[in-house]
Amino acid sequence: MLPALLLAAAIAIRAIDFGNPVIHVDEQYYLLVGQRMLDGAVPYLDLWDRKPWGLFALYAAAAAIPGDDILGYQLLATLFAAATAWIVASGARTLGASRGGALAAGVAYLLWLSLLGGRGGQAPVFYNLLIALAARLTLRLPSLSPRAIVANGLAACLLGGLAIQLKPVAAVEAAFLGAAHLWYLARTSDRRRAIAAAPLWIAVGLLPTLAVMAGYRALGADALGAWWFANVTSILLRPGYPPGELAMRLLGIAAELSPLLLCAAIGWRRRNVRMVRERQLAFGWLAAALVGFFSIGTFFDHYALPLLVPLATIAGIALGRIPRVMVGTLVLGALLAIVERAVVPADAAGARAVAAVVRANSAGGCPYVFIGDTITYSLADACVPTPYAFPNFIAYTTEQASTGIDEAAELRRILAGRPPVIVASTRSLRIWNPATLPVIRQALARDYRPIFSVPRSGWRTVVFLRRDRALSRSAPRS
């Protein structure tokens, strides 16, 4: 009954976005890479990003399902979200929450998942399930025998390793969960068993990543080097954002999480009342998730999504114990979701209209999205003119010198191919790449003319057609 209720809640909360191609820029690109993998493209070689191979493989699997690819990944994400909410509820019960508190914890997870940018298919929507399962196994440790701890650790570390192949920051939580197994094994058995188990657990946790590395090594040393640069080196090279902007993002996340933080604080006060060891593990897990969150340091709202699993699990204690806290938290979460939906622009129709214009006017060439929605390539069934198709890589200073290319040189190479159509924007930003912005502006002024525009959030997306091409009559009017 509980899984069915949480699945129904997940559908009710998320259904409004089913089929929306522009929920978030990130997942547009994940889907594009996944789709092109089905056509033979190799991540990091044919399409570049710094996300792990496993995330693109998951999107490729979603795209392989017959039907609409956009709806497909969103339905898959909804199943993952509902399953994670179920594990949250189960974990809350393990911490001593009532049945009502456990159900409320699962629903709270689903509500705040959408509030913090997880309405679609952000990576944590998927890997939260793997970490939640590993943590749920970890909460069993106080009742397990030494032999059972070894087997439990194998499963938890494998789940953690799979999560790392969806987002590397999951390694922080996975490391804590593995260390908790090691500590309990050392307490309940002789140290030799713990020393023997540790390398086995580590090997199992590394197995998914080692398998991906082996696949790239089979393609050649250059391919493995490309994988290493994208997954390791480029992360360290990425520039930061202005401190003031980071502070405002952090304050916004703290405000959105405040109801769950309050519930967790009530749980902290009662951590020594019952289920003491389980609650200690849960708060340790939350601390590890916080370390992972702060280690990224950019504080976009969706980077807080991994915090929701331990927070909601712990919150179940207070949600079940204090009825007014349960009602207030869930009502507030629902109201915030309604308000957010009321103020977020409905840009799906505009994005599809842009793609229709691009499709109608791109015969014989590859269009180029300098700044805009990468889902345009998918919706227009268009070829991609650069491995660096995610606009930020060429357009923003926040990616400058972190991709391993000269951004201006790559932009000139793209323009030398004379894209029939270029998608740009009226958006005003302080983080435009000063090396590439003049190049695209000069090209647009000299060789292109605007033919279509639609609202997109607080600006407009503009489609430019090369001056020597006639406008296709099948294109819609702005």
Side-chain angles (χ1 to χ4, degrees):
M1 178 62 108
L2 182 60
L5 288 173
L6 291 172
L7 177 59
I11 293 172
I13 292 168
R14 302 168 69 87
I16 191 171
D17 282 310
F18 287 171
N20 181 358
V22 289
I23 295 176
H24 198 282
V25 294
D26 288 349
E27 56 207 64
Q28 295 178 39
Y29 193 62
Y30 303 155
L31 180 61
L32 174 65
V33 178
Q35 290 171 324
R36 301 307 159 97
M37 285 175 71
L38 297 178
D39 296 329
V42 179
Y44 322 120
L45 301 178
D46 300 308
L47 284 169
W48 193 90
D49 196 41
R50 58 174 60 88
K51 296 298 189 295
W53 181 89
L55 181 61
F56 301 126
L58 183 64
Y59 268 83
I65 300 171
D68 182 87
D69 292 352
I70 294 168
L71 181 60
Y73 90 77
Q74 291 165 357
L75 291 176
L76 184 63
T78 298
L79 291 175
F80 270 71
T84 307
W86 181 26
I87 302 303
V88 164
S90 175
R93 288 287 286 165
T94 301
L95 300 183
S98 66
R99 290 185 178 180
L103 174 60
V107 173
Y109 172 78
L110 293 170
L111 284 169
W112 264 266
L113 190 71
S114 290
L115 290 173
L116 287 169
R119 292 159 42 204
Q122 282 286 358
V125 176
F126 297 106
Y127 81 75
N128 274 0
L129 175 60
L130 301 173
I131 291 296
L133 286 167
R136 182 65 186 85
L137 291 172
T138 303
L139 294 178
R140 301 170 60 223
L141 286 174
S143 63
L144 295 181
S145 68
R147 185 184 296 273
I149 290 175
V150 173
N152 207 68
L154 286 172
C157 288
L158 178 58
L159 289 164
L162 291 170
I164 291 168
Q165 267 305 302
L166 298 182
K167 189 100 181 233
V169 74
V172 181
E173 291 174 84
F176 167 77
L177 299 176
H181 278 80
L182 189 61
W183 190 81
Y184 266 89
L185 184 58
R187 285 183 73 246
T188 58
S189 180
D190 61 89
R191 291 186 178 181
R192 288 176 297 179
R193 177 174 286 182
I195 292 172
L200 182 60
W201 290 339
I202 292 172
V204 168
L206 291 175
L207 188 61
T209 298
L210 292 174
V212 172
M213 291 180 67
Y216 276 89
R217 182 65 185 88
L219 296 176
D222 290 345
L224 181 60
W227 175 89
W228 180 265
F229 180 83
N231 283 265
V232 180
T233 308
S234 72
I235 295 174
L236 303 176
L237 293 175
R238 192 176 185 184
Y241 284 82
E245 187 175 341
L246 294 178
M248 292 305 297
R249 290 179 190 169
L250 190 57
L251 285 173
I253 289 171
E256 285 196 275
L257 286 176
S258 57
L260 296 183
L261 291 171
L262 175 62
C263 292
I266 295 172
W268 173 259
R269 291 184 60 186
R270 298 186 58 80
R271 68 191 183 281
N272 294 322
V273 175
R274 56 189 295 235
M275 316 300 290
V276 175
R277 292 180 179 176
E278 289 83 355
R279 293 183 181 185
Q280 288 173 342
L281 285 168
F283 278 103
W285 170 30
L286 175 57
L290 284 165
V291 170
F293 169 70
F294 281 101
S295 70
I296 301 176
T298 50
F299 306 136
F300 288 111
D301 57 356
H302 57 276
Y303 286 175
L305 292 175
L307 300 178
L308 294 179
V309 189
L311 268 178
T313 301
I314 295 168
I317 301 169
L319 293 173
R321 181 175 176 78
I322 309 173
R324 64 180 180 275
V325 170
M326 178 196 292
V327 173
T329 299
L330 296 184
V331 169
L332 178 59
L335 287 175
L336 288 173
I338 293 170
V339 170
E340 182 186 62
R341 297 309 305 161
V343 300
V344 171
D347 292 330
R352 293 186 183 277
V354 166
V357 174
V358 170
R359 176 195 284 268
N361 289 278
S362 293
C366 297
Y368 175 50
V369 179
F370 173 74
I371 190 69
D373 295 302
T374 53
I375 199 68
T376 301
Y377 293 113
S378 300
L379 293 174
D381 195 23
C383 52
V384 180
T386 173
Y388 303 89
F390 190 61
N392 299 28
F393 296 148
I394 290 176
Y396 290 175
T397 58
T398 51
E399 295 288 350
Q400 200 168 8
S402 69
T403 58
I405 62 168
D406 180 328
E407 295 90 358
E410 176 63 11
L411 178 56
R412 291 189 184 96
R413 186 196 66 77
I414 296 166
L415 295 174
R418 305 187 73 220
V421 171
I422 293 178
V423 178
S425 169
T426 62
R427 191 175 188 183
S428 177
L429 289 170
R430 291 179 296 174
I431 58 172
W432 288 120
N433 187 328
T436 59
L437 187 60
V439 176
I440 192 69
R441 283 179 171 172
Q442 291 169 11
L444 292 176
R446 182 183 62 245
D447 301 324
Y448 292 82
R449 68 185 192 276
I451 60 168
F452 185 73
S453 73
V454 292
R456 179 72 169 96
S457 297
W459 55 92
R460 295 186 74 84
T461 295
V462 184
V463 180
F464 291 82
L465 181 66
R466 212 171 64 217
R467 291 185 183 276
D468 62 342
R469 294 176 67 102
L471 174 65
S472 170
R473 294 182 178 179
S474 61
R477 296 181 179 180
S478 56

